[in-house]
Amino acid sequence: SKFSRFFFGSFALQAKSAGLLTLRQIESIRKTLKKHLKKRGRLWISIFPNVAKTKKPEKTRMGKGKGRLHLWCHKITPGQILFEIGGVSYKTAKNAFQKSDYKIPFLTRTT
């Protein structure tokens, strides 16, 4: 599919299973990658949080419409490219992706 190819960088972080990434998780991963890369390489984010999740307050009775906006997230499909890195060696890219892998709630691989 069009989401399983990378266009900008030389190395990419690819999802191996389905899941959700919230806006906070995406930002946390971005900060970790930027911190590890310093000013050596370039980072591209291939995902955007475009799904709004709502939540009703606790102890609220049924009815009265939909709840308030709770968070923004992105639905991840298997094989989808999440982040791309260019301008660095494979070893540096792999180390950066391994550091950020702890913040991702599903399986990923470096391509």
Side-chain angles (χ1 to χ4, degrees):
S1 73
K2 68 178 183 177
F3 299 118
S4 62
R5 292 178 288 175
F6 48 97
F7 299 100
F8 305 108
S10 306
F11 310 105
L13 187 67
Q14 187 176 30
K16 287 175 75 175
S17 59
L20 285 176
L21 271 182
T22 65
L23 178 63
R24 287 183 178 183
Q25 288 171 327
I26 294 170
E27 182 64 15
S28 175
I29 296 163
R30 184 193 68 80
K31 283 182 179 178
T32 304
L33 289 171
K34 278 288 198 184
K35 187 175 182 182
H36 189 77
L37 290 176
K38 297 177 181 156
K39 293 186 178 182
R40 290 180 295 202
R42 180 117 191 252
L43 174 69
W44 291 273
I45 304 172
S46 303
I47 53 176
F48 185 78
N50 56 356
V51 178
K53 294 284 185 180
T54 58
K55 186 177 181 182
K56 289 186 79 123
E58 289 186 30
K59 300 182 181 177
T60 303
R61 294 186 179 189
M62 298 293 287
K64 304 275 192 274
K66 196 167 181 166
R68 290 184 153 192
L69 186 65
H70 179 61
L71 57 89
W72 287 92
C73 62
H74 183 83
K75 291 181 182 176
I76 305 295
T77 56
Q80 186 173 358
I81 298 295
L82 307 176
F83 295 90
E84 298 178 44
I85 291 178
V88 293
S89 67
Y90 177 73
K91 185 178 176 183
T92 305
K94 188 158 179 77
N95 287 340
F97 286 142
Q98 282 177 347
K99 296 255 190 215
S100 66
D101 207 20
Y102 294 109
K103 300 177 183 293
I104 302 175
F106 47 82
L107 295 174
T108 58
R109 71 180 186 137
T110 305
T111 56

